[in-house]
Amino acid sequence: MSFNPTLIEIAEPELLFGYGQRMEHPKDGLLLYGPLESPRSGGNLRIGVVSTKEGLERYSRCVAKLAKPIPPARADDPNHSLFPGFQAVFGVEWPAKPAAWIEIDKAELGRAILIGDRHQAIHKAVSLYSDAIADHIRQDSESPVDLWMAVVPEDVHKHCRPQSKIDKDKRGSSEVLMDKSAATRLLREPGLFEEDNKSAEIYLYELDFHNQLKARLLEHKAAVQVVRETTLAPEDFKKENGMPLRGLQDPATLAWNLANTCFFKAGGKPWQLGGSRPGVCYVGIVFKKDFSTHEAGNACCGAQMFLDSGDGVVFRGAVGPWLTSTDHDFHLPKEKAKALIALVVDAYRKNHAGAAPRELFIHGKTRFSAEEWEGFKETVPAETNVVCVRIREDSGMKLYRHGTMNIARGLGWVKSPWMAYLWTKGFVPRLQTYAGREVPNPLSIEVCRGEADIKQVMSDVLALTKLNYNACIYGDGVPVTLRFADAVGEILTAAPRKGELPPLPFRYYI
C-alpha cells in the first residue's frame, strides 16, 4: 500500500457559548454571549474563604475590583482584552463578602511552617485549612459552598513546597519526637502505641501545601482554589527598591484567568467544543510514583475522561510496581488495565442513559503494551471502537516558512496512515502573533493500537487543546487529556488513602 506524506491545515476548532453561539477565542465568546452554563444564573456564587484577617481583607478588595471593568494593558494589542467585570461576563455575582469565612490564626500558622521537620511543618499547616473546611462541611450541610478559597500568606508558598528549607536560627521544635527513618520502620512494622503509628503516617504526605490540601479534601468533595495574597493584592507587596515582589500578568489578564477558573470550579461551564462528535470519549492515562505508601517503587495509575461537552472525570486506579525495568515506562498488567477502563465505561454509561461510547480514544505519553491493549479490548463492549494514541512533543522536527512569521497553529504533516505531526503552537491570526520565543515544536501523534483516521485524530487533539478551564486562553500546546496529567497524578498521590476514592469531577483536581 503506497502513501504520500502530505501537509494539511486543520481549521481552528470553534467553541460553544451562551445562546448556542460559536467563537474561536474564549474571551470573545464570553464577552459577547456569556458562558454556556451557570451554576446560579442571576444569583450569587457561594464562596467560602479560609484565611487570616489580612487575607480576608485582601480577598474582599480583589473581588471588589473584579466586579468592575479592568482595561487591557494595551488597547491596540489583540492579545489583551478588556475584562468587563465578573457579573457582566458570567451572569452571576461574586459577592465581596464571602458566604462563609473561617479565620486562620496568623501566629499559629507562622509557628507551624517554621517547624524544623518539613513533614510535620507542612502537614500541620495544611491541617489548619483542611480541618476547618471539613468541619464546616460536616456542620453546615444545608448551605453548601460552591468553592473554597484558601488564601495563603507568602511565607506559606515560600516554606511549604518540596525542597524548601528553614534557616537554622528560625527553626521551631518538632511537636512529635520522630523522624522519617523511625516513621518508615513503624509503617512497615507498627508498634504497640497507636499514637506513634498515627504520627508516622504524616511522613506519607507529599511535601507540597497545594497538592496535600487538595488531596486531603477529595473525600469531602470540596472544590478548592489555593491563592496567594500576593496574587490578590500585588500592590501591597514591594521589594526594598519599590519594585513589585512578584512578576504577575497585567491586571486584565490576571482577572480573566482567576475569574474563569473560579467560575468553573464553582460548578459553571464557560464553554464546550462546538464541533460535537456524539458518542466519543477521550481518556488520558496518568502514572505517578506513589510515595503515599511505605512500599518503595510503587506507582499510582489514574485516568482522566473528557467528553466533547467539556465534562471531565478523574478515576484513581490501582497502586503497584508499574514501572518497567527495561524501558523506564509505566505499564499496567492486563487485569489492572481492564479494571481502570471499566470505571471509565461505567461512568460514561451513567451519563448517557446506559449507552456505551461509540469510540474510545486512550491518550498516553508512551506506547501501550500488548497486555494493556488486551485489557482495554476485553473491557469495552463490542460496539465500541477503542484506539490507543501516543502523544509527545517532538523537538527534533522543525518547519520554517518564508517571511517573518512562524508557521500557523493547526498545520499538520501526515507522515503515514498511523503517524503524524501537529503544530498546536504557532501563528494565530486572531492574536496576530505567535505566543512563544522559539520556533514551535509539534506534537508527534501515533495511532499505536487500534484503527482510526489519523486526520480525525489530529483534529480531535487540536480541539482538546481548547478545554483548559484553568485559564482563559486561546489554546494550549497539549490536549487536556495530557495537559494536567502530572498535576492530577501529584494530587492522587499526595496523601495516603485508606479507602477507595470514587470518580470525581475534574474541577476538584486542578
Side-chain angles (χ1 to χ4, degrees), residues 319-338:
V319 175
W322 313 140
L323 182 64
T324 62
S325 58
T326 54
D327 54 10
H328 304 289
D329 288 335
F330 293 99
H331 290 291
L332 290 174
K334 179 180 176 180
E335 292 304 315
K336 298 302 181 183
K338 288 177 62 175

Side-chain angles (χ1 to χ4, degrees), residues 445-465:
I445 300 175
E446 178 186 356
V447 177
C448 54
R449 302 279 181 179
E451 296 183 1
D453 181 351
I454 188 66
K455 293 182 181 179
Q456 182 63 63
V457 173
M458 295 167 69
S459 180
D460 289 349
V461 169
L462 187 64
L464 289 170
T465 65

Side-chain angles (χ1 to χ4, degrees), residues 18 40 80 99 115 126 136 185 196 203 217 236 241 285 287 383 388 395 401 405-406 414 416 434-435 496:
R40 300 179 184 274
H80 296 274
I115 294 174
V126 171
H136 185 278
R185 289 193 298 270
D196 290 342
Y203 294 83
L217 289 172
D236 291 357
N241 60 4
I285 299 295
F287 283 101
E383 65 268 26
C388 293
S395 59
R401 64 180 294 272
M405 296 297 179
N406 275 292
V414 182
S416 73
Y434 154 58

Side-chain angles (χ1 to χ4, degrees), residues 35-235:
L36 185 67
E37 294 179 9
S38 177
R40 300 179 184 274
S41 181
N44 297 339
L45 292 183
R46 291 186 55 83
I47 306 295
V49 175
V50 186
S51 70
T52 63
K53 288 183 179 179
E54 293 85 352
L56 176 65
E57 190 277 328
R58 287 171 176 138
Y59 163 85
S60 298
R61 202 189 324 155
C62 176
V63 174
K65 290 180 181 178
L66 292 176
K68 302 174 183 178
I70 300 177
R74 292 182 55 186
D76 59 343
D77 188 342
N79 283 281
H80 296 274
S81 300
L82 165 77
F83 181 74
F86 189 87
Q87 189 169 10
V89 173
F90 297 104
V92 293
E93 184 182 356
W94 184 348
K97 182 179 179 181
W101 174 53
I102 304 175
E103 182 180 359
I104 299 296
D105 186 279
K106 185 177 181 180
E108 185 178 6
L109 179 62
R111 288 192 296 270
I113 63 177
L114 292 179
I115 294 174
D117 186 302
R118 304 316 299 146
H119 285 274
Q120 294 184 35
I122 296 174
H123 185 271
K124 184 170 183 179
V126 171
S127 295
L128 294 174
Y129 285 80
S130 63
D131 291 352
I133 293 174
D135 289 343
H136 185 278
I137 292 173
R138 285 191 289 263
Q139 296 169 9
D140 193 8
S141 59
E142 295 183 0
S143 302
V145 167
D146 298 321
L147 173 66
W148 287 97
M149 301 289 289
V151 180
V152 298
E154 197 62 15
D155 281 348
V156 171
H157 174 78
K158 179 180 179 181
H159 296 305
C160 295
R161 292 183 296 164
Q163 310 303 321
S164 63
K165 297 181 180 179
I166 306 296
D167 295 337
K168 288 185 177 181
D169 59 334
K170 295 181 180 179
R171 291 178 190 171
S173 59
S174 300
E175 296 181 354
V176 180
L177 298 178
M178 187 179 296
D179 56 22
K180 189 170 184 178
S181 59
T184 301
R185 289 193 298 270
L186 282 173
L187 291 168
R188 289 176 177 169
E189 297 182 13
L192 297 175
F193 302 101
E194 189 58 34
E195 183 178 351
D196 290 342
N197 297 333
K198 189 173 182 180
S199 296
E201 293 181 0
I202 292 175
Y203 294 83
L204 296 177
Y205 290 83
E206 184 182 353
L207 290 174
D208 186 291
F209 181 95
H210 173 275
N211 294 344
Q212 190 182 137
L213 177 62
K214 285 181 173 284
R216 291 170 64 176
L217 289 172
L218 288 176
E219 62 182 279
H220 300 285
K221 298 182 180 179
V224 182
Q225 173 69 26
V226 181
V227 61
R228 295 156 64 179
E229 290 183 12
T230 51
T231 300
L232 299 176
E235 65 278 5

Side-chain angles (χ1 to χ4, degrees), residues 10-26:
I10 301 175
E12 185 64 41
E14 290 186 321
L15 302 172
L16 191 64
F17 297 90
Y19 307 101
Q21 300 299 309
R22 300 167 184 260
M23 298 292 289
E24 289 182 2
H25 198 325

Side-chain angles (χ1 to χ4, degrees), residues 32-33 79 103 111 113 134 153 172 205 265 304 309 344 357 360 383 385 388 402 419 466:
L32 294 172
Y33 310 113
N79 283 281
E103 182 180 359
R111 288 192 296 270
I113 63 177
Y205 290 83
K265 291 180 182 180
Q304 305 173 90
S309 63
V344 173
L360 176 60
E383 65 268 26
N385 178 39
C388 293
H402 293 293
M419 173 69 187
K466 300 183 79 83

Side-chain angles (χ1 to χ4, degrees), residues 422-455:
L422 173 65
W423 278 263
T424 54
K425 300 176 183 177
F427 179 79
V428 176
R430 162 64 180 80
L431 304 178
Q432 286 298 295
T433 189
Y434 154 58
R437 298 180 179 179
E438 300 177 352
V439 175
N441 297 321
L443 298 179
S444 67
I445 300 175
E446 178 186 356
V447 177
C448 54
R449 302 279 181 179
E451 296 183 1
D453 181 351
I454 188 66
K455 293 182 181 179

